[in-house]
């Protein structure tokens, strides 16, 4: 569904990505894992054609209209209500405005339709941003750190939404530095360090290869073993 082949990207003298290669499967949750600065957002920017790689190739087997994107910077209009924020994008996509209310209900914000975005908690803003990303029922959904800064209960709610979208057939490309989240959600993962892939595969199998299972799979232990550093 999504692929990269030997992609390299530099900004000036700094190499951000070095020979990055992977591919995802249809209707899976694919995790791109690594600390801040590892190159995760750069990969999403290249895949969504916001950046061009210096070399290598990449492909998504759907049209740009069939992709959804949720970034850390949500770009929501603070003075507008939740509903009006979605109406703006419904108009851009050329879809019926009734989809706005449906998307709000889907992320648990049906009762907050008339509430101004400026009055929302961070968790509610995250859910609204997700509602906007799924407004047009995309086949591929990019989620960049979707639970960053959220309390455990709110993060769990986002996880349930993501799993529900997968069950509906959406392919989800998830970036995170939360290894527990990756084990819980992802069918397969890539571990990224300083722009290079150091491991990839099924989370449980990766942990088994590196003897990183005690009571639960410990991807962070694998990452530390592979790189010598933690995720902070």
């Amino acid at each position: 569904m999504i692929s990269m082949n030997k992609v390299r990207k530099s900004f000036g003298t700094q190499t951000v990505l070095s020979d990055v290669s992977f591919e995802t499967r249809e209707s899976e949750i694919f995790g791109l894992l690594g600390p801040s600065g590892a190159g995760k957002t750069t990969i999403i920017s290249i895949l969504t054609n916001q950046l061009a790689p210096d070399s290598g190739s990449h492909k998504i087997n759907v049209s740009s209209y069939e992709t959804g994107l949720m970034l850390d910077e949500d770009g929501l209009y603070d003075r507008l209500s939740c509903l009006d924020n979605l109406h703006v994008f419904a108009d851009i996509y050329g879809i019926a405005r009734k989809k706005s209310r449906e998307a709000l209900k889907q992320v648990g914000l049906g009762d907050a339709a008339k509430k101004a975005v400026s009055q929302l908690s961070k968790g509610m803003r995250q859910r609204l941003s997700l509602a906007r990303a799924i407004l047009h029922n995309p086949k591929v959904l990019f989620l960049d750190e979707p639970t960053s800064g959220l309390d455990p209960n709110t993060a769990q709610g986002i996880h349930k939404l993501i799993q529900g979208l997968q069950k509906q057939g959406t392919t989800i490309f998830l970036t995170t530095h939360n290894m527990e989240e990756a084990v819980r959600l992802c069918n397969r993962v890539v571990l990224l360090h300083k722009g290079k892939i150091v491991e990839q595969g099924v989370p449980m199998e990766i942990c088994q290869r590196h003897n990183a299972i005690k009571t639960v799979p410990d991807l962070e232990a694998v990452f530390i073993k592979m790189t010598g550093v933690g995720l902070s």
Side-chain angles (χ1 to χ4, degrees), residues 69-113:
L69 180 62
M70 176 184 173
L71 297 175
D72 185 48
E73 295 293 329
D74 58 41
L76 298 169
Y77 299 105
D78 283 354
R79 294 185 180 182
L80 297 182
S81 68
C82 294
L83 185 62
D84 286 340
N85 261 274
L86 295 194
H87 281 342
V88 168
F89 287 90
D91 292 345
I92 291 172
Y93 289 130
I95 60 179
R97 284 192 167 192
K98 68 178 182 179
K99 292 287 186 180
S100 299
R101 286 194 181 275
E102 292 174 5
L104 286 177
K105 290 179 181 178
Q106 191 171 355
V107 301
L109 289 177
D111 293 338

Side-chain angles (χ1 to χ4, degrees), residues 2-7 20-23 43 46-47 57-58:
I2 304 169
S3 64
M4 270 192 163
N5 184 36
K6 295 184 178 180
V7 166
V20 171
S21 298
F22 61 81
E23 61 181 23
I43 286 176
I46 290 173
L47 287 172
S57 62
H58 61 96

